[in-house]
Amino acid sequence: MVILGIDSSDDYLSVGLSSEGRIIFSRSSLPQAQGKTMLHTFILSVLSQAGHKISDLEGVAVAIGPGSFTGLRVGLAAAKGICWATKLPLAGVSSLMAIAHCANIAAKEVVAVKDARREEFYFGGFTRLDRGYGQIIPDSIGSAGDIFALADKGYALIGPGIEALAKNPGCPTISDGGYDREGIGGAVALLGEERLKAGKVLDLANSIPNYIRVPRPREWKP
Amino acid sequence: MLVLGVETSCDETAAGVVRNGREILSNIILSQEIHARYGGVVPEIASRIHITELVGIIEKALSQAGVALDDLDGMAVTSGPGLVGCLLVGLSFVKSVHLAMGIPYYGVNHLEGHLFAGRLEHAPLQVPHVALVASGGHSNLYLVEDWGKYRLLGSTRDDAPGEAFDKVAKLLGLGYPGGPAIEKAAEVGDRKFIKFPRAQMGKDSYEFSFSGLKTAVSVYLQDKSPDFIADQRGDLAASFQEAIADVLVRKTLAAAENFGMVQVSITGGVARNRRLRELFDERKPIGARVFFPSPALCTDNGAMIAACGDFHLARGERSGLELNAVPYLEL
């Protein structure tokens, strides 16, 4: 069972493949190296590097959020397009859980962090299991202080949001992101494979990104 | 040739199927009414609705057309101009279908799509002709020398006419979108109540400007009481609408005359305005013909994108996976 994993929720693109519970290929673009618009060429190039074609796929997994709103939509629209055309099942995976899965530090408990801009961060807490990670703090949004409080409790902070987080006073010393960016797409594929095996298939006509943040424009009154 | 057209450039989630560039098999349009609450289109909310609704709208377009995905010879999707976050939803989806199935696709310029809305319903509309695209975002006057060959004669220096309708509707305490609200209020109004200014932009200029008109309405209302505005709302709406329609008709017909064109095509959301249609009919010279699409083809829609895509695909033009959404794409 070959699953394609797609993550365009941050300032890089990551695409990977999993099969029978293992990541078989994963590549990421450098941060800001490629616009979201290059996602499809990136998917095609990853497939060809891995020696696979769309027709080999048995499912598609996409990082459903949280992350860049436009990035999430480009990824989900791309994933929906492939699944709609090929009738493959689609799985949605937490973009934070994919990061935890790529942790390359020894800590048992990690908080995966993404920059949400406007001095806020998306974060989720995970604990290492025999295989992979289990979620112990749901995907949320909060301030640097909220995340530092978790660090004080012993969680290791990892993820692409660390760089922005480190700009805040009082930030605990954090190693270089603490995760393997290259592996994200593969982790999305792997986590998606697990969801598909558990029958957790997204409905193409109604599924939406997990934005977490809700836009609140001012209402107009005559 | 069967072509699916997908349009997500602003606040309509739309898809349509067109046969041979002329025959509309389906044209499904979801107009996102929620923006009325905010007095204008909120890009993030529009994008969220596109990603939620797009698949359902496309499926409806195919099923109403009695067409399966495998039957399609090509796809067309708006790649600009428009709101970039909105454009990317439709573009990303269509690119994936192209990637997965190999169905050729073409990224359509939204403005050219509007020009094809005129051709879709009116077989007698020939090239060359003069065309006006008037909407919430545009006020472009073209000499359509041939399909695929356009000369931009003029555009707006500031607000588009639809934008002016929205802003003045707010000043008058009418709802959003302003076009239908002002048109409705104007039904019982005197269009000669006050003569609002018409910006000429110089002799023989095909440029438009509507921000001065909006300011004129605002200045006029400054020392008026709420009671006065309430009493004269219809007259003010009718007088404003007359000023917009007057300028659009005058410049378009002047262009037709100067270039010796007997056919004129008016498209875009503002082309729905009944006073605009009436005024063109009143003023067009004998022998001239002015074509308006039906209302569903004035609004942003998938059928016009499909028709335009059909034209380009038939010429062997193809877009690739690297195509980007371009918010300020020109025509």
Side-chain angles (χ1 to χ4, degrees):
Chain A
M1 185 167 190
V2 180
I3 305 295
L4 173 71
I6 300 169
D7 187 347
S8 55
S9 67
D10 219 288
D11 63 353
Y12 53 84
L13 302 170
S14 194
V15 175
L17 297 165
S18 75
S19 180
E20 309 308 332
R22 288 181 48 195
I23 295 173
I24 56 171
F25 200 83
S26 190
R27 287 287 181 274
S28 296
S29 67
L30 290 171
Q32 281 143 21
Q34 288 179 315
K36 307 282 183 234
T37 197
M38 295 313 289
L39 177 62
H40 296 77
T41 23
F42 199 72
I43 293 172
L44 196 60
S45 120
V46 166
L47 280 171
S48 99
Q49 286 176 65
H52 280 290
K53 302 185 296 292
I54 293 272
S55 55
D56 299 335
L57 301 178
E58 286 159 277
V60 177
V62 65
I64 198 88
S68 142
F69 295 161
T70 296
L72 292 175
R73 281 188 289 265
V74 168
L76 183 57
K80 281 188 180 185
I82 295 172
C83 292
W84 181 74
T86 58
K87 301 189 168 60
L88 288 174
L90 174 66
V93 170
S94 158
S95 53
L96 294 168
M97 189 151 192
I99 292 165
H101 203 91
C102 294
N104 57 14
I105 53 171
K108 179 164 168 33
E109 292 182 329
V110 298
V111 166
V113 184
K114 284 165 82 79
D115 187 1
R117 312 287 165 101
R118 291 186 251 165
E119 293 173 12
E120 285 190 306
F121 298 86
Y122 299 116
F123 66 94
F126 304 87
T127 185
R128 194 190 287 267
L129 306 174
D130 293 341
R131 270 185 56 118
Y133 281 80
Q135 185 141 18
I136 46 176
I137 300 171
D139 293 356
S140 323
I141 189 165
S143 67
D146 297 333
I147 294 163
F148 295 162
L150 292 169
D152 290 343
K153 286 186 191 162
Y155 286 93
L157 307 181
I158 62 167
I162 299 304
E163 209 180 308
L165 194 63
K167 287 174 187 151
N168 290 274
C171 183
T173 314
I174 293 159
S175 64
D176 185 32
Y179 78 112
D180 166 31
R181 193 182 67 234
E182 200 80 327
I184 295 287
V188 170
L190 184 66
L191 293 166
E193 187 180 332
E194 285 168 9
R195 293 187 75 83
L196 292 177
K197 278 182 181 153
K200 292 175 182 167
V201 177
L202 291 183
D203 174 3
L204 296 185
N206 292 304
S207 48
I208 56 171
N210 179 24
Y211 298 109
I212 296 189
R213 193 185 255 159
V214 179
R216 299 193 193 284
R218 213 154 42 106
E219 300 211 357
W220 178 77
K221 294 271 182 290
Chain B
M1 183 154 70
L2 275 176
V3 176
L4 167 71
V6 174
E7 156 64 39
T8 63
S9 69
C10 190
D11 59 341
E12 263 88 25
T13 314
V17 178
V18 169
R19 191 181 352 239
N20 298 329
R22 296 277 189 177
E23 189 191 346
I24 302 173
L25 301 187
S26 64
N27 193 20
I28 310 295
I29 305 168
L30 172 82
S31 288
Q32 304 177 358
E33 285 165 9
I34 190 171
H35 302 287
R37 196 184 296 176
Y38 310 108
V41 177
V42 180
E44 177 57 25
I45 290 176
S47 304
R48 288 187 179 201
I49 297 174
H50 288 312
I51 189 67
T52 312
E53 303 291 343
L54 184 60
V55 173
I57 295 289
I58 291 176
E59 285 186 341
K60 215 165 161 183
L62 290 181
S63 78
Q64 203 180 88
V67 163
L69 177 62
D70 291 339
D71 301 330
L72 294 177
D73 300 295
M75 299 178 292
V77 59
T78 306
S79 61
L83 299 166
V84 70
C86 293
L87 290 164
L88 280 169
V89 174
L91 184 57
S92 182
F93 185 89
V94 169
K95 274 188 190 179
S96 276
V97 179
H98 165 65
L99 172 69
M101 306 300 283
I103 302 170
Y105 92 101
Y106 186 78
V108 166
N109 183 313
H110 182 81
L111 292 162
E112 191 181 12
H114 276 300
L115 295 178
F116 273 80
R119 188 172 97 145
L120 250 178
E121 281 180 320
H122 302 295
L125 177 64
Q126 301 293 319
V127 283
H129 64 258
V130 160
L132 173 72
V133 182
S135 68
H138 304 281
S139 183
N140 290 7
L141 194 54
Y142 293 100
L143 179 62
V144 179
E145 295 174 329
D146 196 353
W147 293 108
K149 197 174 173 212
Y150 316 101
R151 194 160 131 201
L152 179 63
L153 303 176
S155 58
T156 182
R157 298 251 179 103
D158 39 60
D159 293 349
E163 210 175 347
F165 270 104
D166 289 341
K167 289 176 177 174
V168 169
K170 281 188 187 174
L171 292 173
L172 296 178
L174 294 162
Y176 173 91
I182 284 187
E183 184 169 350
K184 178 125 200 352
E187 278 171 10
V188 293
D190 173 10
R191 52 183 183 258
K192 292 184 177 139
F193 179 72
I194 172 168
K195 185 156 184 177
F196 287 120
R198 278 82 160 144
Q200 292 307 319
M201 314 301 287
K203 194 176 176 292
D204 291 337
S205 167
Y206 301 120
E207 297 285 302
F208 298 92
S209 166
F210 296 107
S211 79
L213 170 58
K214 171 203 66 194
T215 308
V217 176
S218 166
V219 168
Y220 176 83
L221 293 176
Q222 249 167 23
D223 57 354
K224 305 294 186 289
S225 69
D227 283 350
F228 174 87
I229 296 172
D231 288 346
Q232 313 300 328
R233 197 171 272 135
D235 298 332
L236 294 165
S239 300
F240 162 78
Q241 177 176 261
E242 193 68 9
I244 293 243
D246 184 22
V247 172
L248 292 175
V249 171
R250 204 184 297 183
K251 285 185 184 268
T252 306
L253 292 181
E257 191 188 340
N258 291 347
F259 288 95
M261 297 294 141
V262 292
Q263 292 197 335
V264 172
S265 167
I266 316 298
T267 59
V270 174
R272 277 195 305 195
N273 185 278
R274 287 194 304 274
R275 180 57 189 156
L276 182 72
R277 291 179 177 226
E278 220 173 77
L279 211 52
F280 266 112
D281 278 340
E282 279 173 22
R283 295 204 195 148
K284 70 182 179 200
I286 292 162
R289 291 189 73 175
V290 181
F291 296 93
F292 287 93
S294 58
L297 286 177
C298 291
T299 309
D300 292 350
N301 66 88
M304 71 180 195
I305 300 305
C308 183
D310 177 281
F311 170 78
H312 288 281
L313 289 164
R315 296 208 300 189
E317 295 169 59
R318 303 283 185 268
S319 295
L321 288 179
E322 73 295 339
L323 182 72
N324 203 353
V326 183
Y328 296 100
L329 190 64
E330 291 182 349
L331 182 73

